[in-house]
Amino acid sequence: MATKTSKIRMEWQGERAAVYIYDKILGNNSGQWEEEGVTPEDVRDLLQTIQNDREIELHINSPGGNVWGGVAIYNLLKQHTGKITGYVDGVAASAASVVLMAADEIIIPTGAFVMIHAPSVLMYGNAAELRAKAEELDKIGAGIAEIYQRRLIDQEESALEMMHQETWFTGAEFQAKFSGVTVEEQAPVYACLGLEKQKYQHIPESVIMEREGKLNTIEAKIGKGVMGINENEVDIQIGGYSLKEMLQSIENAKNILCRTAQVEEINREIKKLQEEINA
C-alpha cells in the first residue's frame, strides 16, 4: 500500500519504508502559491507514519532548491533512529545533496550524479544591504559545508572549496571523496528534468544528453501511439515504474517525472492514449 503527501511518495517493501523525493526542495507549505515540490512539512508528516526504528530507503532524484528546506529535511531524517540508505536514482543536486547526507549509507548507480555548490540569492538593494547579504551567504555556506565535511574521507580537503567550484561528482568520484558510499554498476532510473531551470553553471554534458535522450524516446513513442498499449510490446521504465502501469495512473506519472514545462504536454498525450484505449 502506498502513502502519499504533496510531492513525496512512500511505499512499504517488507519491513522497510521506501521514500521517494522526485521533485525540487521547497522551504515550507505556507505561501507556495502554485509551486510544487517537497517541503519539510511533507517529510515530517510522512516520518510520523513510519516507526522510528524502521529502516528507510531514501530515493532521491532532485535538482535541489531551497537551502533551509534542505537543511530542515536533513535534520528531520537525522532524528530517525532506524538505518537510512540513500539512493541517488538520477541526480542529487544542491539542497537535495544536503538531504542525501542524512543517509547512513549512500548508493549511487553508474551514470548518476551528486552536486554541491555555494548558496545563492536573488535580491536588490543598496551597497550596505548587498554587503550584509553576502556576509549572510558566507555564514550559510559555512554551515552547509560542515555537513559535507563530516563525511569527507580526507579531512585535509575543504568541502567549502568544492562548493564554491560547483562540483559535480560521478558515483566513483563521490565514493573516492566521501565515506559510506557504494557505487552500483547499473543505469540510473531517470535523469532529473528541471536541472536547466536551476541555472547551474557546470552541468555535465552527460546529464544533459541523458535527459534529452529520455525525452526523445518518450516523445517518439507518443508520436507513434504505441506507449504500453499492447501486452507484447517492450515496456519503457521511467522512475522505476513501467509505462504501462503509469498509463493506469496519471497522478503516479506526475510524481515520477520531475517538474518541467514538457510534463503537461506529455500528460495530455497520455490522456489521449487512455481515451483511445478505452474507446
Side-chain angles (χ1 to χ4, degrees):
M1 181 179 66
T3 301
K4 294 182 181 178
T5 65
S6 185
K7 297 293 290 185
I8 189 172
R9 183 171 61 85
M10 186 273 283
E11 60 186 27
W12 287 103
Q13 297 182 356
E15 295 296 314
R16 298 190 305 276
V19 176
Y20 295 84
I21 296 178
Y22 268 32
D23 212 307
K24 67 179 178 179
I25 307 298
L26 301 180
N28 53 55
N29 283 331
S30 61
Q32 281 188 43
W33 299 93
E34 298 301 321
E35 193 171 22
E36 295 181 333
V38 177
T39 69
E41 289 94 332
D42 295 332
V43 176
R44 177 202 62 198
D45 293 345
L46 186 144
L47 288 175
Q48 289 176 352
T49 70
I50 305 172
Q51 290 180 335
N52 204 35
D53 60 349
R54 291 291 183 92
E55 290 189 21
I56 291 178
E57 292 183 2
L58 177 65
H59 294 263
I60 297 176
N61 188 25
S62 169
N66 184 278
V67 62
W68 298 125
V71 171
I73 293 172
Y74 165 85
N75 285 322
L76 284 167
L77 291 169
K78 289 296 287 184
Q79 294 170 30
H80 185 80
T81 59
K83 180 182 179 181
I84 298 178
T85 303
Y87 294 84
V88 183
D89 288 348
V91 64
S94 186
S97 68
V98 176
V99 174
L100 180 67
M101 293 294 103
D104 301 294
E105 179 185 3
I106 296 173
I107 297 177
I108 307 177
T110 301
F113 284 86
V114 177
M115 186 275 276
I116 67 175
H117 72 151
S120 59
V121 66
L122 293 175
M123 69 166 292
Y124 68 92
N126 58 40
E129 291 170 332
L130 293 174
R131 278 192 288 269
K133 181 59 68 173
E135 292 178 1
E136 180 183 338
L137 286 173
D138 285 340
K139 291 180 181 179
I140 295 171
I144 298 299
E146 289 184 12
I147 295 175
Y148 298 124
Q149 190 74 36
R150 294 169 189 164
R151 294 190 77 133
L152 277 177
I153 295 172
D154 183 358
Q155 285 296 307
E156 295 300 317
E157 293 191 280
S158 171
L160 185 59
E161 182 177 342
M162 297 176 191
M163 290 168 59
H164 283 303
Q165 294 174 356
E166 187 185 304
T167 305
W168 291 78
F169 298 95
T170 64
E173 290 168 344
F174 199 71
Q175 183 184 48
K177 296 288 186 182
F178 294 87
S179 62
V181 179
T182 299
V183 178
E184 290 187 347
E185 295 298 325
Q186 63 184 57
V189 173
Y190 201 80
C192 187
L193 309 179
L195 278 174
E196 72 283 355
K197 295 183 181 297
Q198 303 299 320
K199 302 187 184 301
Y200 296 139
Q201 301 299 313
H202 307 293
I203 301 177
E205 187 66 24
S206 59
V207 172
I208 297 173
M209 291 176 64
E210 174 76 10
R211 173 193 180 278
E212 293 177 347
K214 294 285 187 180
L215 280 177
N216 289 339
T217 299
I218 294 171
E219 290 168 354
K221 288 288 184 180
I222 288 175
K224 294 178 181 178
V226 296
M227 293 179 69
I229 295 175
N230 193 313
E231 288 291 332
N232 296 321
E233 290 175 27
V234 176
D235 203 359
I236 298 175
Q237 296 294 316
I238 301 176
Y241 288 78
S242 75
L243 196 50
K244 293 177 183 178
E245 294 175 348
M246 288 166 59
L247 283 170
Q248 299 173 12
S249 174
I250 298 300
E251 290 304 316
N252 282 350
K254 290 179 179 178
N255 284 328
I256 291 165
L257 292 171
C258 293
R259 289 182 69 245
T260 178
Q262 298 189 42
V263 167
E264 292 301 322
E265 180 180 352
I266 292 172
N267 282 341
R268 284 194 295 271
E269 294 298 330
I270 292 176
K271 289 179 181 178
K272 290 179 182 177
L273 288 173
Q274 283 187 309
E275 292 174 357
E276 293 177 6
I277 293 171
N278 296 328

